[in-house]
Amino acid sequence: MSNSMKGMSLITLEEFSPEQVQALLSQAIELKRKKKARIFPRSLADRNFCLIFQRPSCRTRTAFAIAAADEGAQAHAMSPQEIRFGSGESIKDIARVLGRMFDGIAIRAYDTPLIEEVAEHAGVPVWNALTEQHHPTQALADFMTLQENGIALPGAKMAYVGEGKANVVTSLMVAAAKLGVELRVVTPKGHHPEPSLVDRLLGWRHNDKAKIVVTSDMREGLLGADAVYADMWVPMEGNWDIPAMARDFRGYQINRAAMAMTENPRAIFLHCMPSQHNLETEFARKHPEAIEATDEVFDGPLSRAIDQAENRMHTIKALMVSTV
Ligand code: CP
Protein backbone atom coordinates (compact mmCIF):
# COMPACT_ATOMS: atom_id res chain seq x y z
CA MET A 1 0.00 0.00 0.00
CA SER A 2 1.31 3.45 -0.93
CA ASN A 3 2.19 5.67 1.98
CA SER A 4 1.96 8.79 -0.20
CA MET A 5 0.34 11.78 1.42
CA LYS A 6 0.11 13.78 -1.81
CA GLY A 7 -3.10 15.77 -1.97
CA MET A 8 -4.12 15.02 1.63
CA SER A 9 -5.63 17.67 3.86
CA LEU A 10 -4.96 17.81 7.59
CA ILE A 11 -8.14 18.50 9.53
CA THR A 12 -7.91 16.51 12.79
CA LEU A 13 -4.95 14.14 12.16
CA GLU A 14 -7.41 11.24 12.21
CA GLU A 15 -7.04 11.24 8.39
CA PHE A 16 -3.42 10.11 8.62
CA SER A 17 -2.31 6.55 9.34
CA PRO A 18 0.16 5.90 12.18
CA GLU A 19 2.85 5.24 9.56
CA GLN A 20 2.11 8.56 7.87
CA VAL A 21 2.23 10.46 11.17
CA GLN A 22 5.56 8.83 12.01
CA ALA A 23 6.83 9.61 8.49
CA LEU A 24 5.96 13.29 9.00
CA LEU A 25 7.90 13.36 12.29
CA SER A 26 10.93 11.63 10.76
CA GLN A 27 10.87 13.99 7.80
CA ALA A 28 10.61 17.01 10.12
CA ILE A 29 13.68 15.84 12.04
CA GLU A 30 15.56 15.45 8.74
CA LEU A 31 14.42 18.87 7.49
CA LYS A 32 15.55 20.43 10.77
CA ARG A 33 18.97 18.80 10.39
CA LYS A 34 19.21 20.12 6.83
CA LYS A 35 18.20 23.65 7.82
CA LYS A 36 20.83 23.71 10.58
CA ALA A 37 23.36 22.73 7.88
CA ARG A 38 21.95 25.49 5.63
CA ILE A 39 20.73 22.93 3.10
CA PHE A 40 17.45 23.98 1.48
CA PRO A 41 16.09 21.43 -1.01
CA ARG A 42 13.50 23.98 -2.27
CA SER A 43 11.15 21.19 -3.20
CA LEU A 44 8.21 23.62 -3.31
CA ALA A 45 9.75 26.15 -5.72
CA ASP A 46 7.12 28.18 -7.60
CA ARG A 47 4.31 27.01 -5.32
CA ASN A 48 1.92 29.45 -3.67
CA PHE A 49 0.19 28.99 -0.35
CA CYS A 50 -2.71 30.89 1.16
CA LEU A 51 -2.70 31.66 4.90
CA ILE A 52 -6.08 32.65 6.30
CA PHE A 53 -5.95 33.38 10.01
CA GLN A 54 -9.28 34.42 11.49
CA ARG A 55 -7.68 34.49 14.95
CA PRO A 56 -4.37 35.77 16.34
CA SER A 57 -1.25 33.66 15.97
CA CYS A 58 2.47 34.10 16.52
CA ARG A 59 3.96 30.60 16.12
CA THR A 60 1.65 28.92 13.64
CA ARG A 61 1.43 31.73 11.13
CA THR A 62 5.18 32.38 11.12
CA ALA A 63 5.82 28.62 10.93
CA PHE A 64 3.78 28.36 7.73
CA ALA A 65 5.42 31.46 6.25
CA ILE A 66 9.00 30.42 6.99
CA ALA A 67 8.45 26.78 6.02
CA ALA A 68 7.14 27.95 2.64
CA ALA A 69 10.02 30.38 2.12
CA ASP A 70 12.65 27.78 3.04
CA GLU A 71 11.24 25.44 0.40
CA GLY A 72 11.15 28.11 -2.30
CA ALA A 73 7.39 28.75 -2.12
CA GLN A 74 5.48 31.95 -1.48
CA ALA A 75 3.00 32.31 1.37
CA HIS A 76 0.25 34.90 0.94
CA ALA A 77 -1.52 36.01 4.12
CA MET A 78 -5.16 37.00 3.60
CA SER A 79 -7.09 38.88 6.25
CA PRO A 80 -10.52 37.68 7.46
CA GLN A 81 -11.92 40.93 6.03
CA GLU A 82 -10.81 39.86 2.54
CA ILE A 83 -11.97 36.24 2.77
CA ARG A 84 -15.60 36.46 3.88
CA PHE A 85 -16.42 32.80 4.42
CA GLY A 86 -20.18 32.42 4.30
CA SER A 87 -20.92 36.10 4.98
CA GLY A 88 -20.24 37.81 1.65
CA GLU A 89 -19.55 34.68 -0.38
CA SER A 90 -20.25 30.98 0.03
CA ILE A 91 -17.56 28.81 1.54
CA LYS A 92 -17.78 26.50 -1.46
CA ASP A 93 -17.21 29.31 -4.00
CA ILE A 94 -14.27 30.72 -2.06
CA ALA A 95 -12.73 27.25 -1.72
CA ARG A 96 -13.05 26.53 -5.44
CA VAL A 97 -11.49 29.85 -6.41
CA LEU A 98 -8.61 29.63 -3.91
CA GLY A 99 -7.97 26.08 -5.08
CA ARG A 100 -7.34 27.43 -8.60
CA MET A 101 -4.92 30.06 -7.32
CA PHE A 102 -3.03 28.24 -4.62
CA ASP A 103 -1.25 24.92 -4.11
CA GLY A 104 -2.26 24.68 -0.44
CA ILE A 105 -4.37 26.59 2.06
CA ALA A 106 -3.78 26.98 5.81
CA ILE A 107 -6.74 28.15 7.87
CA ARG A 108 -7.05 29.15 11.53
CA ALA A 109 -10.75 29.34 12.25
CA TYR A 110 -13.28 29.00 15.05
CA ASP A 111 -15.03 25.83 13.93
CA THR A 112 -13.65 22.74 12.23
CA PRO A 113 -16.59 22.28 9.80
CA LEU A 114 -15.52 25.46 7.98
CA ILE A 115 -12.13 23.90 7.25
CA GLU A 116 -13.77 20.59 6.29
CA GLU A 117 -15.95 22.39 3.78
CA VAL A 118 -13.00 24.25 2.25
CA ALA A 119 -11.08 20.97 2.00
CA GLU A 120 -14.05 19.32 0.31
CA HIS A 121 -14.14 21.86 -2.51
CA ALA A 122 -10.64 23.34 -2.88
CA GLY A 123 -9.01 20.46 -4.73
CA VAL A 124 -5.67 21.26 -3.03
CA PRO A 125 -4.41 20.35 0.46
CA VAL A 126 -6.03 22.33 3.27
CA TRP A 127 -4.31 22.48 6.66
CA ASN A 128 -6.03 23.15 9.97
CA ALA A 129 -3.95 25.81 11.71
CA LEU A 130 -6.19 25.58 14.84
CA THR A 131 -9.88 25.54 15.57
CA GLU A 132 -11.78 25.48 18.85
CA GLN A 133 -11.79 21.69 18.63
CA HIS A 134 -8.40 20.71 17.16
CA HIS A 135 -4.78 21.78 16.87
CA PRO A 136 -3.17 19.00 14.82
CA THR A 137 -0.02 20.82 13.68
CA GLN A 138 0.77 21.52 17.35
CA ALA A 139 0.60 17.81 18.18
CA LEU A 140 3.06 17.01 15.38
CA ALA A 141 5.61 19.42 16.85
CA ASP A 142 5.01 18.08 20.35
CA PHE A 143 5.74 14.48 19.45
CA MET A 144 8.69 15.50 17.27
CA THR A 145 10.13 17.21 20.36
CA LEU A 146 9.76 14.02 22.39
CA GLN A 147 11.43 12.02 19.66
CA GLU A 148 14.38 14.40 19.20
CA ASN A 149 14.97 14.18 22.95
CA GLY A 150 15.55 10.44 22.63
CA ILE A 151 12.14 9.44 23.99
CA ALA A 152 10.91 6.49 21.90
CA LEU A 153 7.28 7.13 21.09
CA PRO A 154 5.63 3.74 21.49
CA GLY A 155 5.50 3.40 25.26
CA ALA A 156 6.39 7.05 26.03
CA LYS A 157 4.47 8.57 28.94
CA MET A 158 3.35 12.15 28.61
CA ALA A 159 1.34 14.04 31.25
CA TYR A 160 -0.69 16.95 29.91
CA VAL A 161 -1.78 19.28 32.72
CA GLY A 162 -4.44 21.78 31.75
CA GLU A 163 -7.94 22.11 30.34
CA GLY A 164 -9.06 18.61 29.37
CA LYS A 165 -11.52 19.82 26.75
CA ALA A 166 -9.02 22.07 24.94
CA ASN A 167 -8.07 21.71 21.27
CA VAL A 168 -4.43 21.04 22.16
CA VAL A 169 -5.14 18.00 24.31
CA THR A 170 -7.72 16.66 21.86
CA SER A 171 -5.07 16.60 19.14
CA LEU A 172 -2.55 15.11 21.56
CA MET A 173 -5.02 12.30 22.25
CA VAL A 174 -5.45 11.62 18.53
CA ALA A 175 -1.68 11.54 17.97
CA ALA A 176 -1.02 9.46 21.10
CA ALA A 177 -3.51 6.83 19.96
CA LYS A 178 -1.73 6.67 16.59
CA LEU A 179 1.81 6.61 17.95
CA GLY A 180 1.45 4.27 20.92
CA VAL A 181 1.98 6.94 23.57
CA GLU A 182 0.50 6.78 27.07
CA LEU A 183 -1.11 10.19 27.52
CA ARG A 184 -2.25 11.20 30.98
CA VAL A 185 -4.75 14.05 30.90
CA VAL A 186 -4.44 15.71 34.30
CA THR A 187 -7.25 18.15 34.83
CA PRO A 188 -9.71 19.16 37.57
CA LYS A 189 -13.14 17.60 37.81
CA GLY A 190 -15.51 19.43 35.47
CA HIS A 191 -12.70 19.86 32.91
CA HIS A 192 -12.35 16.22 31.83
CA PRO A 193 -12.53 15.42 28.12
CA GLU A 194 -15.75 13.86 26.88
CA PRO A 195 -15.59 10.13 27.75
CA SER A 196 -17.14 9.29 24.36
CA LEU A 197 -14.23 11.02 22.60
CA VAL A 198 -11.64 9.13 24.65
CA ASP A 199 -13.45 5.83 24.01
CA ARG A 200 -13.66 6.53 20.30
CA LEU A 201 -9.95 7.39 20.01
CA LEU A 202 -8.92 4.30 21.95
CA GLY A 203 -11.35 2.21 19.92
CA TRP A 204 -9.24 2.57 16.80
CA ARG A 205 -5.81 2.82 18.42
CA HIS A 206 -3.22 1.11 16.26
CA ASN A 207 -0.68 0.34 18.93
CA ASP A 208 -1.23 -1.67 22.10
CA LYS A 209 0.98 0.75 24.01
CA ALA A 210 -1.40 3.66 23.35
CA LYS A 211 -3.31 4.67 26.47
CA ILE A 212 -5.33 7.69 27.51
CA VAL A 213 -5.68 8.11 31.26
CA VAL A 214 -7.86 10.92 32.57
CA THR A 215 -7.27 11.89 36.18
CA SER A 216 -7.59 14.83 38.55
CA ASP A 217 -4.79 13.51 40.72
CA MET A 218 -1.46 15.21 39.99
CA ARG A 219 0.59 12.45 41.59
CA GLU A 220 -1.14 9.69 39.66
CA GLY A 221 -0.84 11.63 36.41
CA LEU A 222 2.77 12.70 36.73
CA LEU A 223 4.41 9.60 38.25
CA GLY A 224 6.83 8.07 35.75
CA ALA A 225 6.17 10.67 33.04
CA ASP A 226 8.84 11.23 30.40
CA ALA A 227 7.38 14.65 29.65
CA VAL A 228 5.16 17.10 31.51
CA TYR A 229 3.11 19.33 29.21
CA ALA A 230 1.55 22.53 30.55
CA ASP A 231 -1.03 24.74 28.87
CA MET A 232 -2.71 27.99 29.84
CA TRP A 233 -5.69 27.49 32.12
CA VAL A 234 -7.71 30.24 30.45
CA PRO A 235 -7.98 30.74 26.67
CA MET A 236 -6.53 34.03 25.45
CA GLU A 237 -9.68 34.81 23.45
CA GLY A 238 -13.21 35.14 24.79
CA ASN A 239 -14.82 36.34 27.98
CA TRP A 240 -14.00 33.97 30.78
CA ASP A 241 -14.46 34.13 34.52
CA ILE A 242 -10.71 34.02 35.01
CA PRO A 243 -10.68 34.02 38.86
CA ALA A 244 -13.16 31.10 38.87
CA MET A 245 -11.09 29.12 36.36
CA ALA A 246 -7.90 29.82 38.29
CA ARG A 247 -9.64 28.52 41.44
CA ASP A 248 -10.49 25.28 39.61
CA PHE A 249 -6.84 24.84 38.61
CA ARG A 250 -5.31 25.71 41.97
CA GLY A 251 -2.79 22.96 42.72
CA TYR A 252 -2.16 22.21 39.03
CA GLN A 253 0.69 24.68 38.52
CA ILE A 254 3.83 23.10 37.05
CA ASN A 255 6.56 24.05 39.48
CA ARG A 256 9.54 22.26 40.95
CA ALA A 257 7.32 20.18 43.27
CA ALA A 258 5.12 19.10 40.35
CA MET A 259 8.12 18.08 38.24
CA ALA A 260 9.41 16.08 41.23
CA MET A 261 6.15 14.09 41.21
CA THR A 262 7.37 12.40 38.03
CA GLU A 263 10.18 10.78 40.08
CA ASN A 264 12.01 10.99 36.76
CA PRO A 265 14.96 13.41 36.97
CA ARG A 266 15.14 13.46 33.17
CA ALA A 267 11.48 14.32 32.55
CA ILE A 268 11.30 17.20 30.08
CA PHE A 269 8.90 20.14 30.28
CA LEU A 270 6.76 21.11 27.30
CA HIS A 271 4.38 23.99 26.65
CA CYS A 272 2.43 24.86 23.48
CA MET A 273 2.67 28.59 24.28
CA PRO A 274 1.65 31.32 24.78
CA SER A 275 2.43 30.80 28.44
CA GLN A 276 2.00 32.64 31.71
CA HIS A 277 5.07 31.82 33.76
CA ASN A 278 6.03 35.19 35.29
CA LEU A 279 4.70 38.72 35.61
CA GLU A 280 5.97 39.93 32.23
CA THR A 281 2.50 39.94 30.65
CA GLU A 282 -0.45 42.20 31.35
CA PHE A 283 -2.57 39.07 31.73
CA ALA A 284 -0.36 37.63 34.48
CA ARG A 285 -0.03 40.96 36.30
CA LYS A 286 -3.82 41.20 36.37
CA HIS A 287 -4.34 37.51 37.19
CA PRO A 288 -1.24 36.18 38.97
CA GLU A 289 -3.41 33.38 40.34
CA ALA A 290 -3.68 32.02 36.75
CA ILE A 291 0.05 31.44 36.20
CA GLU A 292 0.28 27.81 35.06
CA ALA A 293 4.06 27.27 35.31
CA THR A 294 6.93 28.83 37.20
CA ASP A 295 9.88 30.55 35.56
CA GLU A 296 12.10 28.05 37.31
CA VAL A 297 10.55 25.24 35.24
CA PHE A 298 9.75 27.14 32.04
CA ASP A 299 13.30 28.46 31.77
CA GLY A 300 14.91 25.49 33.51
CA PRO A 301 17.41 23.04 32.01
CA LEU A 302 14.75 20.45 31.21
CA SER A 303 12.39 22.85 29.46
CA ARG A 304 12.02 22.21 25.74
CA ALA A 305 9.26 24.81 25.21
CA ILE A 306 11.25 26.99 22.82
CA ASP A 307 12.55 23.99 20.85
CA GLN A 308 8.94 22.84 20.65
CA ALA A 309 7.90 26.23 19.23
CA GLU A 310 10.71 26.02 16.65
CA ASN A 311 9.56 22.51 15.77
CA ARG A 312 6.19 23.93 14.71
CA MET A 313 8.02 25.16 11.61
CA HIS A 314 9.87 21.92 10.83
CA THR A 315 6.73 19.79 11.20
CA ILE A 316 4.61 22.19 9.14
CA LYS A 317 7.33 22.12 6.49
CA ALA A 318 7.22 18.31 6.48
CA LEU A 319 3.44 18.49 6.12
CA MET A 320 3.67 20.88 3.16
CA VAL A 321 6.39 18.91 1.41
CA SER A 322 4.54 15.63 1.92
CA THR A 323 1.06 16.71 0.91
CA VAL A 324 1.66 19.16 -1.95
N1 CP B 1 0.80 27.35 19.96
C1 CP B 1 0.22 28.14 19.02
O1 CP B 1 -0.63 27.72 18.22
O2 CP B 1 0.70 29.40 19.01
P1 CP B 1 0.07 30.60 18.16
O3 CP B 1 -1.34 30.81 18.65
O4 CP B 1 0.97 31.76 18.43
O5 CP B 1 0.06 30.21 16.71
Side-chain angles (χ1 to χ4, degrees), residues 157 159 184 218-219 221-228 254 256-268 302:
K157 296 181 179 65
R184 288 94 172 263
M218 284 282 275
R219 259 176 217 288
L222 270 60
L223 182 65
D226 298 298
V228 177
I254 304 303
R256 195 203 308 210
M259 290 302 288
M261 286 181 199
T262 63
E263 297 187 13
N264 175 5
R266 293 189 305 175
I268 60 171
L302 290 167

Side-chain angles (χ1 to χ4, degrees), residues 56-61 108 130 135 138 272-274 312:
S57 170
C58 167
R59 280 146 289 273
T60 314
R61 182 166 152 166
R108 173 167 285 198
L130 179 147
H135 201 359
Q138 178 71 53
C272 50
M273 302 178 78
R312 301 296 312 284

